[in-house]
Amino acid sequence: SQKIEQNSEALNIQEGKTATLTCNYTNYSPAYLQWYRQDPGRGPVFLLLIRENEKEKRKERLKVTFDTTLKQSLFHITASQPADSATYLCALGGSYIPTFGRGTSLIVHP
Amino acid sequence: DTGVSQNPRHKITKRGQNVTFRCDPISEHNRLYWYRQTLGQGPEFLTYFQNEAQLEKSRLLSDRFSAERPKGSFSTLEIQRTEQGDSAMYLCASSGRVAGNTIYFGEGSWLTVV
């Protein structure tokens, strides 16, 4: 069955450093992959979408890579700030219905 | 564009009662989704509408759950005979032609069954 793996352990980093979050998947050939941010008690907020034929996408301090051979996406936040502390979810899709991973919590310390 | 709106934001109900949640999607979006999320987990797909047609429903969805989208606008999710295991956040999302594959979530409706 399809499986999406995100590190269940929180990632703790120091302000100003680059945070790198990982999303691995198995038994899946997604046409696209998305990253969302979720704050406690709130709905997920869309950040970036990358398609299977794209290797990398950037938006301001965010960068996403997508390796369909390794079946992995990396999500980078450069010059991280305490305000970046949240849970980050990856979502894979082949059609209109994305499937979500459980998310990884990022904590940026001042 | 006021975003996806969900009501009520919080609901506490006794086991065995019925509850209904409402979702108002972004106005130009024809696709509407319901997901459920429990603590420490990602959103789990429940059901999907395109306009007023319910096109897909999770196999995990109990027959106590029913969703409607009359006239392809707002949607309701009803849970009958609630159980403690139904306690979760119920998320509605919408998407449309311009949005492509991106879905936009509301703030969710928290359900606590006591």
Side-chain angles (χ1 to χ4, degrees), chain A residues 16-56:
Chain A
K17 300 291 186 187
T18 296
T20 299
L21 304 174
T22 305
C23 176
N24 294 299
Y25 59 93
T26 54
N27 298 323
Y28 209 148
S29 296
Y32 62 90
L33 186 148
Q34 301 176 78
W35 285 89
Y36 286 76
R37 170 186 172 137
Q38 187 171 28
D39 291 289
R42 309 200 67 176
V45 174
F46 170 73
L47 296 174
L48 279 168
L49 180 149
I50 187 166
R51 300 198 180 279
E52 60 178 336
N53 59 347
E54 297 174 314
K55 296 291 183 192
E56 182 179 299

Side-chain angles (χ1 to χ4, degrees), chain B residues 8-56:
Chain B
R9 290 292 320 279
H10 298 91
K11 179 76 178 177
I12 301 173
T13 191
K14 289 184 179 177
R15 192 174 49 182
Q17 298 293 304
N18 298 345
V19 296
T20 298
F21 299 112
R22 176 181 170 122
C23 171
D24 288 273
I26 293 170
S27 57
E28 64 268 24
H29 285 180
N30 64 333
R31 299 195 291 273
L32 187 146
Y33 307 77
W34 285 100
Y35 283 79
R36 174 172 62 192
Q37 187 176 26
T38 53
L39 208 59
Q41 300 298 315
E44 174 193 29
F45 171 73
L46 294 179
T47 191
Y48 160 64
F49 290 84
Q50 188 163 310
N51 300 310
E52 65 276 8
Q54 188 173 20
L55 295 187
E56 200 151 333

Side-chain angles (χ1 to χ4, degrees), chain A:
Chain A
S1 61
Q2 299 169 354
K3 198 170 177 185
I4 302 171
E5 291 179 353
Q6 292 188 260
N7 199 338
S8 57
E9 283 185 24
L11 176 64
N12 285 272
I13 64 167
Q14 213 58 36
E15 183 176 9
K17 300 291 186 187
T18 296
T20 299
L21 304 174
T22 305
C23 176
N24 294 299
Y25 59 93
T26 54
N27 298 323
Y28 209 148
S29 296
Y32 62 90
L33 186 148
Q34 301 176 78
W35 285 89
Y36 286 76
R37 170 186 172 137
Q38 187 171 28
D39 291 289
R42 309 200 67 176
V45 174
F46 170 73
L47 296 174
L48 279 168
L49 180 149
I50 187 166
R51 300 198 180 279
E52 60 178 336
N53 59 347
E54 297 174 314
K55 296 291 183 192
E56 182 179 299
K57 208 114 182 237
R58 291 176 187 258
K59 179 182 174 184
E60 297 170 355
R61 294 184 297 114
L62 309 180
K63 184 177 91 170
V64 172
T65 63
F66 193 8
D67 189 326
T68 54
T69 302
L70 288 179
K71 294 188 183 293
Q72 180 181 78
S73 174
L74 299 178
F75 177 77
H76 307 273
I77 306 175
T78 57
S80 59
Q81 304 163 2
D84 295 326
S85 299
T87 295
Y88 291 86
L89 302 161
C90 79
L92 277 62
S95 58
Y96 290 127
I97 304 174
T99 302
F100 285 81
R102 64 185 299 174
T104 298
S105 176
L106 172 66
I107 302 167
V108 181
H109 299 275

